Each structure stands twice: as C-alpha cells, then as structure tokens.
C-alpha cells in the first residue's frame, strides 16, 4: 500500500493562527490583523485612511477569518462608498498673522508676538505664537501640536472622572498624542485601569464631540468591539450618540492634522 502524501507546506501554513500585526489578504483585500484576548467574535473596522483592520480573538484560524471577510463584502463596500462620499479634506495652515486655529469648537486667530514666555498660549481671545518660532514652519508646527496636547490633556483630565462615573467603569489613565488613524483608543493592562489615548486634533472639535469620543473609549472597558451590545451601552450614556457620531464623521474629516505651508 503506497504511503500517503505529506501535507503540503501551504496547507500547514493555512492552519497557523493569525498573529497581531500581520497582513492578511482575503477576498481580494489586504487587512491588518488585530488580536485581542477580550474578543470572542470577529469584527472589521474601516480606518480613516480607508485601510481595513480585522479584529480577531486569539488562535483564530485564517480560514475562519477569510470566510468572515467574504461574508462581510457588502458591509465593506457600503462603508467604503460612504467614505468616498465624505473624503477627508484636512486643511493646510500657514504660519502667519491672522491664520485661524480651532480649540474646543471656537475659532482663534494667530497672533505673532515677541514677548518671551511659552511658545504658544491663549491671550485675550487670540492664539499667540512667538515670532522666533513662527519663522520656522516645522518648529511652529511642533509647538502648536505640543500646545494642543498640553491644553487637551488638562481639559480631558477634568472630564474623564464624570464620564467614568456615569458609565460605571473604573477611571483609566489618559494621554493626548497622535494616535494615527483613530480619534481615540483604549488599552487594557496599561496602568491600574487601562489607558485612554486621545488624538491631539480632537480638541479642535466642540466639547460635546470630545465628550462623545471619551465616552466611546470608556465603553470599551466593558465591551470590546463595536457590536450591538457596545452601541446599547453607549446609547445609555449618550442617547443621541448616533447624531454625535454623524457630526464627528463630518467635522472630523476637516480637522487640521498638522499640515503647514513650508
């Protein structure tokens, strides 16, 4: 009786579970894999840049993932069509007197000063920038972003505890930084109660939308992913959350993300 053929290398590879950070090609699309020990079901996210993230539990079989992506084709195509209709139009700012920058929904005009002190600060309804900094657009960009991070963190620290209490979750640590293609993230295991990171650019939005982003991330302390249970939880905290999400989708695509005229 002839010996059976050994399993092909390709089939053996197919059985290797997906790992965090790998790229998976499924149904003709390339997806970034995110593995979470808190997740039991598979999920998909269309990122702000149009890329796709596949969210899976540990030890997820690639074949299961590929089948999920194929079944999700109508959802993916609908989301990508919607994104095309709302293509980002992030502005480019000039570092010059009178240029406008927003903070918590209010518009401030840039005032170039030669007075010493902090490189960027709010003074009498104007956003003051040191002239010595303004002559170097890249440095000015760094200082403006640093100001958003500092001012945003101070504001967020005062809002986190009330929202955590309202949603009946432990208060996590909070940071403000560039979080890439998201407005915010929640990471379990960073610090005692995890950590919420907010994108510095969100502090250009009106306060009620920053609150929405904070509540959105706090909900992940209880529920990973964006399934029906997640939205039910968020809606209890913010009954009009769908309206706020639509408003964020519209205003978010027009936020300044740091592009300057050099």
């Amino acid at each position: 009786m002839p010996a059976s053929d050994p399993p092909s290398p390709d089939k053996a590879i197919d059985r290797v579970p997906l790992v965090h950070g790998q790229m998976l090609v499924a149904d003709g699309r390339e997806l970034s894999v995110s593995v979470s020990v808190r997740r039991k079901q598979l999920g998909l996210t269309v990122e702000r840049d149009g890329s796709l993230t596949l969210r899976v539990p540990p030890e997820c079989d690639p074949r299961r993932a590929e089948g999920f992506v194929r079944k999700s084709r109508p959802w993916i195509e609908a989301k990508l069509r919607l994104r095309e209709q709302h293509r980002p139009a992030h502005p480019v700012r000039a570092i010059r007197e009178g240029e406008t920058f927003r903070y918590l929904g209010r518009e401030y005009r840039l005032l170039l000063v030669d007075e010493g002190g902090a490189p960027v600060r709010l003074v009498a309804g104007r956003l003051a920038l040191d002239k010595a900094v303004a002559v170097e657009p890249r440095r000015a960009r760094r200082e403006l972003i640093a100001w958003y991070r500092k001012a945003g963190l101070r504001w967020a620290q005062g809002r986190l505890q009330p929202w955590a209490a309202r949603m009946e979750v432990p208060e996590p640590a909070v940071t403000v930084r560039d979080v890439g293609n998201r407005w915010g993230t929640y990471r379990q295991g960073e610090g005692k109660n995890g950590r919420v990171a907010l994108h510095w650019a969100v502090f250009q939005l009106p306060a009620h939308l920053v609150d929405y982003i904070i509540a959105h991330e706090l909900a992940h302390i209880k529920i990973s992913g964006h399934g029906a249970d997640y939205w039910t939880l968020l809606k209890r905290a913010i009954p009009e959350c769908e309206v706020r999400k639509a408003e964020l989708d519209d205003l978010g695509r027009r936020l300044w993300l740091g592009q300057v005229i050099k």
Side-chain angles (χ1 to χ4, degrees):
M1 182 176 180
S4 59
D5 293 333
S8 71
D10 288 343
K11 289 183 178 179
I13 291 172
D14 284 346
R15 290 193 290 271
V16 176
L18 296 174
V19 298
H20 187 79
Q22 82 172 80
M23 300 304 296
L24 175 72
V25 177
D27 198 30
R29 301 183 186 277
E30 188 175 55
L31 306 96
S32 173
V33 175
S34 175
V35 179
S36 172
V37 295
R38 300 170 62 227
R39 177 175 287 278
K40 295 181 179 178
Q41 303 297 322
L42 280 69
L44 281 165
T45 301
V46 179
E47 307 294 354
R48 289 209 319 270
D49 63 356
S51 63
L52 297 171
T53 299
L54 176 65
R55 306 186 183 282
V56 303
E59 303 300 317
C60 180
D61 189 314
R63 290 167 295 188
R64 178 188 176 193
E66 291 165 2
F68 175 77
V69 173
R70 283 194 298 272
K71 290 180 181 178
S72 301
R73 183 189 300 171
W75 181 90
I76 294 172
E77 291 176 347
K79 288 293 183 181
L80 290 176
R81 282 196 302 271
L82 184 62
R83 179 185 175 277
E84 187 64 25
Q85 294 168 9
H86 297 87
R87 180 178 291 277
H90 301 299
V92 178
R93 296 285 188 235
I95 307 301
R96 65 190 176 196
E97 187 97 15
E99 181 65 279
T100 57
F101 291 85
R102 289 184 175 274
Y103 177 61
L104 294 179
R106 182 177 173 182
E107 202 168 76
Y108 294 90
R109 292 195 176 276
L110 198 63
L111 176 67
L112 303 185
V113 298
D114 188 12
E115 302 170 352
V120 182
R121 56 198 181 278
L122 278 179
V123 179
R126 301 286 292 274
L127 189 63
L129 175 67
D130 191 280
K131 287 182 178 179
V133 174
V135 297
E136 301 179 49
R138 290 183 179 178
R139 182 183 173 194
R141 173 189 182 276
R142 289 196 303 269
E143 295 294 356
L144 285 163
I145 291 174
W147 179 82
Y148 274 111
R149 291 183 62 180
K150 183 178 179 180
L153 178 60
R154 185 168 56 248
W155 189 88
Q157 286 173 329
R159 299 297 295 160
L160 205 66
Q161 190 281 328
W163 278 106
R166 183 172 181 175
M167 300 183 73
E168 300 180 335
V169 297
E171 181 182 353
V174 61
T175 59
V176 176
R177 56 184 178 83
D178 188 331
V179 291
N181 293 318
R182 300 188 180 196
W183 297 132
T185 64
Y186 169 71
R187 291 287 182 268
Q188 188 181 41
E190 295 186 11
K192 181 180 178 182
N193 298 319
R195 183 178 301 275
V196 166
L198 302 173
H199 199 297
W200 62 266
V202 306
F203 294 95
Q204 299 167 63
L205 295 165
H208 70 281
L209 292 183
V210 186
D211 276 339
Y212 167 78
I213 293 169
I214 289 172
H216 183 103
E217 299 309 327
L218 290 177
H220 284 307
I221 296 176
K222 285 188 173 180
I223 301 175
S224 133
H226 297 93
D229 291 345
Y230 172 86
W231 290 107
T232 297
L233 172 62
L234 187 57
K235 199 165 187 176
R236 283 203 297 268
I238 304 179
E240 68 282 10
C241 66
E242 293 176 354
V243 174
R244 292 201 192 184
K245 182 181 184 301
E247 190 177 356
L248 175 61
D249 289 344
D250 179 47
L251 291 180
R253 71 189 183 93
R254 289 180 273 136
L255 293 184
W256 179 63
L257 296 182
Q259 299 92 332
V260 297
I261 297 174
K262 299 177 182 179

